[in-house]
């Protein structure tokens, strides 16, 4: 197998509005850590497939398709064999609006309608396509190693810290003939939200800082991060404070386990025909929204709850749950009048890289669903790449809808849609594992 890889800088100019929090009122005014994108092209001579991972919040399917069209013009790559993923940092530039590129609404509560910089977005699309062009020109023979383990101290269920989450960390590494490391991919599921809405400095948060520490040991390697099924997983109950120093501490935790696993990894050659890719398109199921009166009643309930918590000076984590619940209820009001503008189709991409399965998910899948996919996968190691090839919003499991809150209120997706994706994913992983691409 051959691998081509390239890292580029995608840091925007300052000032620029940041994405990820609806309660930011001012644009970003500083660069704490530059933002990067990493491109990988996998080839066995007869076939190529490509992966991009960018340190931004998210991309819509429309934006992804625009980037893919550029890539197709520049390279030999087929658009169906490309995955474009984002790390989901909440301290990067505002790119778009919650799954759609424009919402016509009279609401004054325009969460995530943060005046994206169209010139930067245009430049970004060209830059990401160019990164894959350079990666394609960098193909070298490599051996591959894959390994997984557990990590603690970073992510927990952000609604209830006592509920289990998927704490698996997965690492893929690729070495040249001289044993030097050419590329590394890290997969772990957690919201990069160490920094709060008060932060106005650009940073990739803890995943990017982990990469920085790993690269100190492997300076020539292109090291990328793929976020997983992180819809209900964050640092809310593990971070000690919301500061850049804390992001560095959590980055060190992640980097330490990555380096530990890399020290144990065993490499092997990848035979011809061991790379496979399939795109699966399916319809999106949306909510039947309640009446505006009912939604406004929900908003009022959250407002009262938040006011009471602030009055009694409740714990920050408890207050944050109520704050996001209120945001979700207000978002529900916006989406109730905008469902017809949402994309009716979505896609997952299923890959086989030797003995590893990789699945792209177009949104923020809940940990329970991600774990179900992994548990039923025929591959010993299955990587879930969330925030990839589009963004439908939160993808909760059925049980989580009963509990309510920000994620289930703000998502436009119908109850059971997450389980639908799991069913499709399990079928396609089994097919590709057996070498069948129906």
């Amino acid at each position: 197998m051959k691998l081509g890889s390239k890292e580029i800088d995608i840091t925007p100019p300052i000032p620029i509005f940041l994405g990820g929090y609806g309660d930011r009122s001012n644009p970003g005014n500083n660069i704490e850590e530059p933002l990067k994108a990493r491109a990988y092209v996998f080839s066995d001579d007869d076939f190529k497939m490509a992966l991009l991972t960018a340190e931004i919040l998210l991309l819509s399917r429309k934006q992804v398709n625009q980037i893919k069209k550029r890539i197709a013009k520049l390279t030999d790559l087929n658009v169906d064999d490309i995955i474009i993923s984002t790390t989901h940092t909440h301290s990067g530039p505002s790119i778009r609006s919650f799954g759609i590129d424009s919402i016509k609404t009279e609401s004054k509560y325009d969460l995530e309608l943060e005046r994206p910089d169209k010139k930067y977005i245009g430049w970004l699309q060209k830059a990401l396509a160019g990164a894959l062009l350079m990666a394609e020109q960098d193909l070298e023979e490599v051996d591959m190693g894959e390994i997984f383990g557990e990590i603690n101290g970073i992510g927990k269920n952000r609604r209830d810290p006592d509920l289990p989450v998927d704490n698996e960390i997965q690492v893929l590494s690729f070495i040249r003939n001289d044993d030097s490391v050419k590329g590394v991919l890290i997969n772990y599921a957690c919201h990069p939200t160490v920094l709060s809405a008060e932060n106005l400095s650009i940073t990739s948060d803890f995943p990017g800082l982990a990469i920085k520490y790993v690269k100190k040991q492997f300076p020539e390697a292109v090291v990328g991060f793929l976020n997983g099924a992180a819809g209900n997983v964050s640092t809310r109950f593990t971070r000690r404070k919301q500061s850049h120093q804390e992001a560095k501490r959590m980055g060190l935790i992640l980097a330490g386990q990555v380096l530990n696993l890399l020290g144990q990894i065993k490499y092997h050659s990848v035979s011809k025909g061991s790379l496979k890719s399939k795109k699966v398109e399916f319809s999106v199921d949306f909510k039947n929204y309640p009446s505006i009166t009912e939604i406004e009643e929900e908003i009022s309930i959250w407002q009262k709850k938040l006011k009471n918590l602030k009055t009694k000076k409740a714990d920050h984590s408890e207050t944050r749950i109520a704050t996001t619940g209120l945001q979700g209820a207000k978002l529900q009001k916006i989406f109730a009048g905008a469902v017809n503008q949402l994309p009716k189709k979505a896609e997952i991409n299923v890959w086989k890289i030797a003995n590893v399965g990789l699945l792209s998910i177009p949104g923020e899948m809940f940990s329970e669903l991600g774990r179900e996919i992994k548990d039923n996968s025929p591959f010993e190691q299955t990587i879930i790449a969330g925030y990839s090839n589009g963004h439908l919003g939160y993808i909760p499991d059925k049980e989580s809808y009963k509990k309510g809150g920000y994620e289930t209120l703000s998502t436009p997706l119908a109850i059971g849609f997450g389980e639908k994706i799991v069913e499709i994913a399990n079928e396609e992983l089994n097919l590709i594992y057996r070498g069948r691409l129906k």
Side-chain angles (χ1 to χ4, degrees):
M1 182 181 76
K2 292 179 180 178
L3 174 70
S5 56
K6 183 67 178 179
E7 178 182 277
I8 63 168
D9 193 307
I10 57 169
T11 311
I14 293 297
I16 194 167
F17 280 93
L18 304 182
Y21 294 110
D23 42 0
R24 276 195 181 109
S25 56
N26 296 305
N29 56 22
N30 184 48
I31 298 171
E32 178 71 17
E33 294 285 343
L35 303 180
K36 303 294 180 69
R38 285 98 183 179
Y40 303 84
V41 175
F42 304 88
S43 172
D44 64 2
D45 293 332
D46 295 332
F47 176 68
K48 293 178 183 176
M49 56 193 196
L51 171 68
L52 265 170
T53 172
E55 292 178 336
I56 52 176
L57 184 70
L58 45 85
L59 289 164
S60 69
R61 194 178 185 207
K62 179 180 177 181
Q63 289 171 331
V64 165
N65 288 339
Q66 288 170 340
I67 296 166
K68 286 186 177 184
K69 286 179 181 178
R70 287 184 179 275
I71 293 168
K73 289 180 180 179
L74 295 171
T75 70
D76 293 331
L77 292 159
N78 185 308
V79 294
D80 290 345
D81 302 318
I82 302 170
I83 295 175
I84 299 178
S85 186
T86 65
T87 66
H88 203 53
T89 177
H90 284 47
S91 298
S94 176
I95 300 294
R96 61 180 203 85
S97 311
F98 264 97
I100 51 182
D101 293 295
S102 64
I103 301 178
K104 294 180 181 179
T105 173
E106 295 179 359
S107 171
K108 292 181 180 179
Y109 188 84
D110 289 336
L111 181 63
E112 278 298 298
L113 306 185
E114 296 154 322
R115 289 167 278 178
D117 186 322
K118 292 181 179 179
K119 288 184 179 179
Y120 170 73
I121 294 170
W123 174 86
L124 177 66
Q125 291 179 350
K126 293 177 182 177
L128 294 178
L132 265 185
L133 170 62
M134 289 185 280
E136 189 188 41
Q137 296 170 344
D138 180 58
L139 291 170
E140 294 179 271
E141 288 286 347
V142 293
D143 284 349
M144 171 181 165
E146 64 275 355
I147 193 167
F148 61 92
E150 294 288 316
I151 188 166
N152 294 296
I154 299 178
K156 282 188 176 292
N157 185 301
R158 65 188 199 176
R159 296 299 308 283
D160 184 347
D162 294 325
L163 291 176
V165 295
D166 183 4
N167 281 321
E168 188 172 67
I169 176 175
Q170 305 197 62
V171 178
L172 301 185
S173 183
F174 306 89
I175 58 170
R176 302 177 180 91
N177 292 332
D178 64 1
D179 290 339
S180 63
V181 179
K182 181 175 178 63
V184 176
L185 278 169
I186 304 161
N187 178 230
Y188 174 64
C190 182
H191 266 73
T193 51
V194 175
L195 281 303
S196 71
E198 295 178 1
N199 171 59
L200 297 178
S201 293
I202 284 177
T203 172
S204 52
D205 212 294
F206 78 87
L209 289 161
I211 288 172
K212 185 176 178 180
Y213 299 134
V214 172
K215 279 184 69 66
K216 287 184 177 181
Q217 300 301 317
F218 303 101
E220 295 181 2
V222 174
V223 184
F225 177 82
L226 291 172
N227 214 328
N232 56 345
V233 184
S234 81
T235 63
R236 182 173 296 167
F237 295 104
T238 57
R239 62 197 180 219
R240 297 171 180 174
K241 55 177 67 174
Q242 293 194 272
S243 67
H244 294 289
Q245 191 61 37
E246 179 67 357
K248 290 177 181 177
R249 186 184 73 84
M250 288 198 160
L252 274 171
I253 294 173
L254 181 58
Q257 181 62 319
V258 171
L259 292 171
N260 176 46
L261 292 171
L262 284 172
Q264 304 172 50
I265 204 164
K266 296 180 180 180
Y267 292 93
H268 56 88
S269 61
V270 178
S271 60
K272 200 169 183 178
S274 295
L275 299 179
K276 296 188 183 300
S277 163
K278 183 182 179 184
K279 182 184 89 169
V280 183
E281 193 172 61
F282 51 93
S283 59
V284 181
D285 304 328
F286 295 112
K287 286 177 179 175
N288 292 318
Y289 277 96
S291 68
I292 296 299
T293 300
E294 290 174 293
I295 293 173
E296 288 177 341
E297 287 175 359
E298 179 90 28
I299 291 171
S300 179
I301 290 170
W302 282 104
Q303 286 173 330
K304 289 176 183 176
K305 184 174 182 178
L306 181 60
K307 184 179 179 180
N308 290 337
L309 287 171
K310 288 182 175 179
T311 299
K312 68 177 188 179
K313 296 181 179 179
D315 177 78
H316 171 75
S317 296
E318 192 177 1
T319 304
R320 185 62 189 163
I321 290 171
T323 300
T324 56
L326 175 59
Q327 291 173 346
K330 290 181 175 180
L331 258 181
Q332 184 174 231
K333 185 176 180 180
I334 293 175
F335 279 128
V339 173
N340 291 335
Q341 299 177 51
L342 296 168
K344 304 300 185 292
K345 296 282 186 180
E347 69 181 66
I348 61 171
N349 299 76
V350 187
W351 280 11
K352 181 179 184 291
I353 310 175
N355 304 316
V356 176
L358 190 149
L359 174 73
S360 74
I361 296 294
E364 310 194 46
M365 176 172 272
F366 271 34
S367 185
E368 292 83 353
L369 297 173
R371 189 71 258 177
E372 186 176 349
I373 290 171
K374 288 184 180 182
D375 288 345
N376 290 291
S377 173
F379 292 93
E380 182 180 2
Q381 196 163 333
T382 303
I383 291 173
I384 294 177
Y387 310 95
S388 297
N389 284 353
H391 189 271
L392 297 172
Y394 287 99
I395 307 174
D397 61 300
K398 288 180 181 177
E399 190 62 31
S400 294
Y401 277 95
K402 298 176 185 178
K403 299 175 182 177
Y406 170 69
E407 298 87 354
T408 57
L409 285 169
S410 65
T411 184
L413 302 175
I415 297 173
F417 182 69
E419 284 74 11
K420 173 180 174 178
I421 295 180
V422 170
E423 184 178 347
I424 295 170
N426 285 338
E427 179 183 0
E428 296 299 336
L429 282 166
N430 275 282
L431 285 170
I432 205 166
Y433 179 79
R434 297 197 300 268
R436 294 172 56 193
L437 297 174
K438 69 174 184 178

